[in-house]
Amino acid sequence: MDGKMSLRNDWTREEIQTLYDQPFLDLVFTAQSVHRQHFPANIIQVSTLLSIKTGKCPEDCKYCSQSAHYDSKLEAEKRIAVETVIREAQAAKDSGSSRFCMGAAWRNPHERDMPYVLEMVKEVKALGLETCMTLGMLNSSQAERLKDAGLDYYNHNLDTSREYYSHIISTRTFDDRLDTLDHVRQAGMKVCSGGIVGLGEKASDRIGLLHELATMPMHPESVPINMLVPIEGTPLADVEKLDVTEWIRTIAVARIIMPQSYIRLSAGRESLSDADQALAFMAGANSLFSGDKLLTTPNAGEGKDQILFAKLGLSAEKAKPTIADLSIDAMSA
């Protein structure tokens, strides 16, 4: 490929369709070529995700075990103590994570919740970790306060295409999601936004999702591409499983059209073989969630990831050192 892939926000659906439909190995080769123009080879950003408030969510997302609308047998839990979150964050950093993500099963945070989440952001940030939260919809004031507390990323996925969205969720609109992302961006935080494949959608919906993300005024800095994990009791429990090559096609196209974004392997990764994951990294994925659980769904554990990284010659992106870390290093030098 000649020259460095330039950032574009004017991709057409037809262009994205052409990329998606090309021979699989050509697509993966192009994606890896673009990846190496913008990121170091063989470096993977590792994040840890913790549920800070589980279950009884008022939204009706058809894929989600935490929705109060479905009987998924999930035990609802109250929000966990800030001290517990800090211990989990330190353990995540010690195991190689550079970003700590905190998620709550809320439609939106109430004002009574804001002191709790703001304290949490400040404490996790002090550990030298990048901070990320997913708390549902935000207004502009909440976004500004999260930014002032030190929140680096806010996650709010689009989930699927605008056209297919109403088949998956009815309790908030597609534009509600875009409004929250706009508040996040206006506050000066980085955006984490992607979607889920395998919801029963068509390839045109995967292209529509990618088109929506890639034509934002600024690309999301982090783009999680989830594969549906079917959960008993939810409306999508028996949906036909999507072929893994379609997931990897989606990752590869995301890498090409959003060349400076982290493309993350998220939910569904626990079902992949080592070879599948290697292919996903070859297609430009350079971020993943580590740990045994993603909110409430199973995930490949840290031990498995360490073995995988050693096998493939991959290294975790380093967390930024804190002032305390630098002082200890200076004393031991």
Side-chain angles (χ1 to χ4, degrees), residues 24 81 122 124 178 199 218 286 330:
F24 182 78
K122 292 173 183 176
V124 173
L178 292 176
L199 297 169
M218 290 178 64
N286 66 331

Side-chain angles (χ1 to χ4, degrees), residues 54-56 63-77 230-235 237 293 296-297:
T54 302
K56 289 191 176 179
Y63 52 79
C64 187
S65 64
Q66 301 203 65
S67 172
H69 295 259
Y70 316 123
D71 183 15
S72 66
K73 310 302 181 187
L74 178 74
E75 292 290 334
E77 299 174 6
I231 297 169
E232 186 177 352
T234 65
K293 186 185 291 186
T296 63
T297 57

Side-chain angles (χ1 to χ4, degrees), residues 82 110 121 135 160 194 200 254 269 297:
V82 173
H110 294 289
V121 170
L135 311 172
T160 188
R269 188 168 69 91
T297 57

Side-chain angles (χ1 to χ4, degrees), residues 17-37:
Q17 179 86 57
T18 298
L19 287 171
Y20 192 94
D21 289 341
Q22 66 184 298
F24 182 78
L25 294 181
D26 292 348
L27 173 60
V28 170
F29 177 80
T30 301
Q32 180 61 203
S33 300
V34 170
H35 173 71
R36 290 181 182 231
Q37 293 169 5

Side-chain angles (χ1 to χ4, degrees), residues 35-222:
H35 173 71
R36 290 181 182 231
Q37 293 169 5
H38 295 273
F39 289 95
N42 304 315
I43 301 295
I44 305 295
Q45 189 278 321
V46 179
S47 297
T48 296
L49 177 60
L50 177 69
S51 178
I52 60 173
K53 195 290 178 183
T54 302
K56 289 191 176 179
C57 180
E59 305 284 14
D60 68 351
C61 307
K62 290 184 178 178
Y63 52 79
C64 187
S65 64
Q66 301 203 65
S67 172
H69 295 259
Y70 316 123
D71 183 15
S72 66
K73 310 302 181 187
L74 178 74
E75 292 290 334
E77 299 174 6
K78 296 180 179 180
R79 65 187 199 186
I80 63 178
V82 173
E83 293 77 12
T84 303
V85 175
I86 303 312
R87 287 197 300 272
E88 294 285 345
Q90 184 62 59
K93 181 180 180 181
D94 293 344
S95 70
S97 288
S98 60
R99 187 179 306 161
F100 192 71
C101 305
M102 295 152 276
W106 294 329
R107 174 178 169 81
N108 55 274
H110 294 289
E111 280 305 306
R112 64 177 179 270
D113 300 312
M114 290 303 294
Y116 167 72
V117 296
L118 295 175
E119 180 186 359
M120 197 176 297
V121 170
K122 292 173 183 176
E123 294 290 341
V124 173
K125 184 77 171 178
L127 296 177
L129 287 160
E130 288 183 320
T131 52
C132 179
M133 280 190 159
T134 180
L135 311 172
M137 295 185 290
L138 295 179
N139 59 39
S140 58
S141 170
Q142 289 169 333
E144 288 167 2
R145 281 177 280 166
L146 286 166
K147 167 62 178 176
D148 290 343
L151 190 64
D152 297 299
Y153 285 83
Y154 193 80
N155 167 261
H156 203 59
N157 289 334
L158 298 183
D159 285 351
T160 188
S161 69
R162 181 182 288 274
E163 295 79 9
Y164 195 62
Y165 184 87
S166 63
H167 294 274
I168 303 301
I169 305 151
S170 70
T171 47
R172 77 174 82 165
T173 69
F174 197 81
D175 286 322
D176 286 336
R177 291 183 181 265
L178 292 176
D179 288 345
T180 287
L181 292 177
D182 185 56
H183 294 320
V184 169
R185 189 61 85 188
Q186 291 299 320
M189 285 183 285
K190 294 176 181 178
V191 167
C192 175
S193 187
I196 308 170
V197 301
L199 297 169
E201 79 284 352
K202 300 175 182 177
S204 59
D205 294 306
R206 295 189 282 280
I207 289 158
L209 168 66
L210 292 170
H211 178 258
E212 195 78 44
L213 294 166
T215 54
M216 289 179 175
M218 290 178 64
H219 295 161
E221 285 84 356
S222 181

Side-chain angles (χ1 to χ4, degrees), residues 93 125-128 320-331:
K93 181 180 180 181
K125 184 77 171 178
L127 296 177
K320 297 177 178 65
T322 64
I323 294 174
D325 291 334
L326 294 173
S327 299
I328 292 170
D329 289 344
M331 291 173 62

